[in-house]
Amino acid sequence: MNNVLIEQLSCDLNIIKFKVETEEEYGNRLIYSALVAWARVQVLGKSYTDIYYAKKDELDYHNVDVMHIQSRLSQVAYGMLNAIAHSYKWNKSIDFESCANSISSSVIEQLIFCYELSKVNNRRLTPSPERVATFTKNKLMLGGVRWEGTNLYSVGMGRWSTASEPSINYKCIFNLPTCSAVEYCKKLKKNAEWQENELNNMYQIFKLGNDNWYSKSWVDFNNAKVPRGLSLLKSMEIDGGYFLLKNDDDGILSAKLDKWYYDEKEIYRIMYSLNAYNETPAIFMAEKYNDYILLKLNSLLPNSEMRILIMSSWPQKTYDDSFRRIIPRFLWYDVKKCLNELGIIIKFKNENENENEE
């Protein structure tokens, strides 16, 4: 019976077992993407079949209470965890009931984060408007209530097709800069609202060229030794208080960053851009396998790039792992391109392998 369930999920989600992964690792991916699909079903309030065959003018406005969705999804998760072999480390080695509740909550939160689901009055969820994000080699289906098509591949939280279209629009869809990381840094320097330096509190400065996690790349700021060029400061007294600091021929000027940079983790875009401009780019390590890439993040990404990564990969160590991601080969070019444009260099564990291989 378990094999029948696995075969049906594999067929419905278009997820094939990788050549070198174990049954448990394959089970991790199946459970994850199946729960994502089931969460969408709960939001619809009816089956895929009912939606698929309904006429356009007969489609209802779907919105369902979030607790109802989580309760039903937890039951599905509990059944899958019992029926499908998976790594106990992946579910954090806790009992199935607790894991079912936790993973269901995590899946719903991530679908909201990725704009697949939208909140209504903080209590109810509804599908987001249907859009298609086209990348260089693939296209990503977003939102909507229709899932027709036989060439869709479930990857992480995303639904992908390998047939892209001439008009590449993913930067517009995900609100990404259209310039390089170095150019982004130059634009910050040119367009920031600079003021006379009045930084009188305690601050830390982002240290360029540090191989540590970016959250650990902060050192105490000495107001008497301001480095030349552009720097990023954060207040030790105000949560979310970030400043740009410029020291050039115009003197020492500062510019307070809007709260949006903090909320959307755009602070990380500035960090990556500063290091790219400094010619000390961030380096992420990866491992190459026959049909997938295992990517290891050193630090968080801006929310826009993080959404793309979540929808193009599976978590590796645990169901909520943000820093080790499994990316199928057919999506690697598009994912790598997004990271490179952020100012990140990818190096493979085996340095003899060609980084540019797709």
Side-chain angles (χ1 to χ4, degrees):
M1 185 63 185
N2 293 359
N3 289 337
V4 173
L5 174 62
I6 291 173
E7 289 176 6
Q8 188 63 55
L9 289 176
S10 175
C11 179
D12 290 345
L13 300 173
N14 214 349
I15 300 176
I16 308 300
K17 183 176 180 293
F18 292 141
K19 294 180 181 178
V20 296
E21 72 178 341
T22 65
E23 293 295 334
E24 290 76 15
E25 291 168 337
Y26 180 47
N28 296 347
R29 296 193 297 118
L30 275 180
I31 293 171
Y32 186 86
S33 288
L35 290 176
V36 170
W38 268 98
R40 293 192 180 103
V41 170
Q42 301 300 328
V43 174
L44 294 177
K46 54 181 71 176
S47 72
Y48 280 143
T49 305
D50 292 339
I51 298 295
Y52 185 88
Y53 289 107
K55 295 180 180 179
K56 190 171 184 180
D57 56 357
E58 295 176 352
L59 288 175
D60 299 323
Y61 174 69
H62 307 284
N63 63 96
V64 183
D65 187 275
V66 64
M67 292 308 296
H68 173 82
I69 297 170
Q70 186 166 335
S71 174
R72 295 294 184 89
L73 191 62
S74 294
Q75 296 176 34
V76 176
Y78 183 80
M80 288 187 179
L81 290 168
N82 276 281
I84 299 175
H86 64 283
S87 306
Y88 282 96
K89 182 184 292 186
W90 184 79
N91 70 13
K92 300 185 176 181
S93 301
I94 56 179
D95 64 274
F96 284 175
E97 185 173 357
S98 298
C99 181
N101 291 329
S102 298
I103 192 173
S104 298
S105 176
S106 177
V107 164
I108 293 170
E109 288 175 3
Q110 294 284 51
L111 284 169
I112 296 170
F113 173 73
C114 291
Y115 301 142
E116 283 282 78
L117 302 179
S118 299
K119 283 187 177 182
V120 181
N121 297 328
N122 292 323
R123 287 292 307 171
R124 305 182 76 81
L125 296 179
T126 188
S128 299
E130 182 176 292
R131 294 176 297 168
V132 179
T134 55
F135 292 73
T136 304
K137 292 181 175 291
N138 304 277
K139 61 182 179 182
L140 172 65
M141 315 302 292
L142 295 165
V145 296
R146 292 187 179 273
W147 282 269
E148 67 266 35
T150 58
N151 295 320
L152 291 182
Y153 296 83
S154 294
V155 181
M157 297 210 163
R159 292 159 290 150
W160 291 84
S161 170
T162 55
S164 188
E165 297 178 3
S167 178
I168 298 174
N169 69 353
Y170 72 92
K171 290 188 178 182
C172 178
I173 294 283
F174 287 98
N175 193 28
L176 292 170
T178 56
C179 59
S180 68
V182 172
E183 287 299 319
Y184 179 84
C185 201
K186 291 179 180 178
K187 287 186 176 183
L188 276 179
K189 187 175 181 180
K190 178 181 179 181
N191 299 323
E193 296 183 3
W194 298 109
Q195 298 178 351
E196 292 294 329
N197 179 26
E198 296 180 356
L199 301 175
N200 300 318
N201 297 321
M202 295 180 61
Y203 302 93
Q204 286 189 326
I205 186 171
F206 177 64
K207 185 178 180 181
L208 296 175
N210 196 333
D211 292 333
N212 292 334
W213 292 70
Y214 276 10
S215 60
K216 299 180 180 179
S217 297
W218 296 89
V219 296
D220 291 339
F221 173 63
N222 185 345
N223 213 344
K225 296 182 179 179
V226 179
R228 293 283 294 179
L230 194 64
S231 303
L232 178 64
L233 304 183
K234 70 174 178 178
S235 171
M236 299 300 294
E237 301 171 0
I238 303 174
D239 187 27
Y242 288 87
F243 298 82
L244 290 174
L245 191 65
K246 181 177 69 167
N247 183 7
D248 57 18
D249 295 339
D250 295 328
I252 300 176
L253 303 174
S254 64
K256 190 178 189 306
L257 292 171
D258 188 88
K259 187 173 180 291
W260 175 81
Y261 286 90
Y262 178 70
D263 292 341
E264 287 296 310
K265 293 186 173 56
E266 286 290 307
I267 293 297
Y268 283 90
R269 188 181 310 283
I270 296 176
M271 296 179 190
Y272 290 118
S273 298
L274 285 172
N275 264 327
Y277 187 80
N278 190 53
E279 297 184 352
T280 55
I283 297 175
F284 287 1
M285 298 302 297
E287 296 178 26
K288 191 173 294 186
Y289 297 91
N290 288 333
D291 34 22
Y292 72 94
I293 304 292
L294 176 58
L295 178 68
K296 302 175 183 178
L297 280 66
N298 288 353
S299 291
L300 291 174
L301 303 176
N303 281 356
S304 295
E305 281 84 356
M306 200 68 217
R307 290 182 181 104
I308 293 174
L309 187 62
I310 289 172
M311 301 192 77
S312 59
S313 65
W314 291 275
Q316 196 252 351
K317 294 188 72 174
T318 60
Y319 63 79
D320 58 355
D321 186 1
S322 297
F323 299 103
R324 294 171 65 94
R325 307 293 300 190
I326 300 167
I327 304 169
R329 276 295 187 112
F330 77 92
L331 288 179
W332 175 240
Y333 178 88
D334 287 327
V335 173
K336 182 169 75 73
K337 188 172 185 290
C338 289
L339 295 175
N340 289 161
E341 289 174 343
L342 184 55
I344 297 169
I345 302 298
I346 310 296
K347 286 191 175 181
F348 288 96
K349 191 173 181 180
N350 183 347
E351 294 184 356
N352 293 326
E353 295 195 49
N354 180 9
E355 176 193 343
N356 294 318
E357 181 185 347
E358 299 171 18

